[in-house]
Amino acid sequence: MYINIELPKELLVYETHFPSCSDDVELMSALIELTHASIEWGYGGPFAAAVVRCDNLQPVALGINLVLGQQLSTLHAEMVAIMSAQRRLKTFDLGQCATPLALYTSCEPCTMCLGACHWSGVVKVVSGARDADAATAGFDEGPKPAHWAAALRERGIEVEEDVCRQKAAAVLKRYQRIGGLAYNSLRNDLK
């Protein structure tokens, strides 16, 4: 038995047209636009992530949640972006790349994705919305240390929080308003 993860063709096309960005705000704004597209595509919800080169903010790989489309609970946007970057760069350790890499994510990492931040080898994590914003939309981000950012910093990973937080949180609210499924939700409404 094999587990095949197929990236949606929409995401692959989106990667070819991802704008050049010169700072964290521009990059997060572009990711937030991707979250809107992801909702429309229907593969997994209102989250997007990118692994980018720290020197020029060029994406190595984009990720969106594929939980619903692939029926795999671990395919959060961050996981998809990290796995895609590792496959493209042919290394399980992104810290071994000649150019340092960062993970940008439309919402701070959940429990699972927090672990992936450390194990992936990225040197920086930049997030938009907060766990509280995701919880408001019905998502359960799991038991995570209150001082998760400090824990990453202690391991040498730079962390930047709340970049375009209001815009990122608005996407989560929109997803809830239109009746999007909050898988692994606080309400446990999956049967």
Side-chain angles (χ1 to χ4, degrees), residues 11 18 27 30 39 45 64 67 90 92-93 100 104 119 125 129 132 151 166 176 179 190:
L11 180 61
F18 197 80
L27 187 62
I39 292 170
I64 58 172
V67 172
K90 296 178 175 42
F92 66 88
D93 184 357
Y104 283 69
W119 290 108
V125 174
Q166 299 306 322
Q176 182 188 37
L190 293 177

Side-chain angles (χ1 to χ4, degrees), residues 26-100:
E26 284 182 9
L27 187 62
M28 189 62 68
S29 294
L31 271 184
I32 291 167
E33 289 304 313
L34 178 55
T35 63
H36 286 290
S38 178
I39 292 170
E40 301 308 317
W41 298 335
Y43 293 109
F47 302 97
V51 172
V52 304
R53 293 171 49 116
C54 290
D55 61 350
N56 61 13
L57 299 183
Q58 291 301 303
V60 173
L62 299 180
I64 58 172
N65 273 41
L66 299 176
V67 172
L68 299 176
Q70 299 275 336
Q71 294 295 295
L72 294 169
S73 63
T74 58
L75 292 185
H76 290 193
E78 297 92 335
M79 302 297 282
V80 172
I82 289 167
M83 288 187 294
S84 295
Q86 290 171 331
R87 185 57 48 97
R88 285 182 180 159
L89 298 172
K90 296 178 175 42
T91 180
F92 66 88
D93 184 357
L94 298 176
Q96 296 298 312
C97 296
T99 301

Side-chain angles (χ1 to χ4, degrees), residues 81-178:
I82 289 167
M83 288 187 294
S84 295
Q86 290 171 331
R87 185 57 48 97
R88 285 182 180 159
L89 298 172
K90 296 178 175 42
T91 180
F92 66 88
D93 184 357
L94 298 176
Q96 296 298 312
C97 296
T99 301
L101 300 174
L103 175 68
Y104 283 69
T105 178
S106 63
C107 187
E108 70 181 53
C110 71
T111 301
M112 173 182 63
C113 296
L114 178 62
C117 291
H118 166 71
W119 290 108
S120 69
V122 296
V123 300
K124 182 177 179 181
V125 174
V126 179
S127 63
R130 293 236 176 170
D131 277 358
D133 302 318
T136 299
F139 289 94
D140 180 354
E141 299 298 275
K144 187 169 74 175
H147 304 289
W148 67 272
L152 285 182
R153 288 183 189 109
E154 286 174 14
R155 294 178 173 268
I157 300 171
E158 184 181 343
V159 177
E160 184 80 29
E161 298 175 85
D162 298 331
V163 176
C164 301
R165 180 180 180 189
Q166 299 306 322
K167 286 172 57 177
V171 177
L172 296 164
K173 289 176 187 171
R174 173 181 170 244
Y175 185 73
Q176 182 188 37
R177 228 179 12 258
I178 65 173

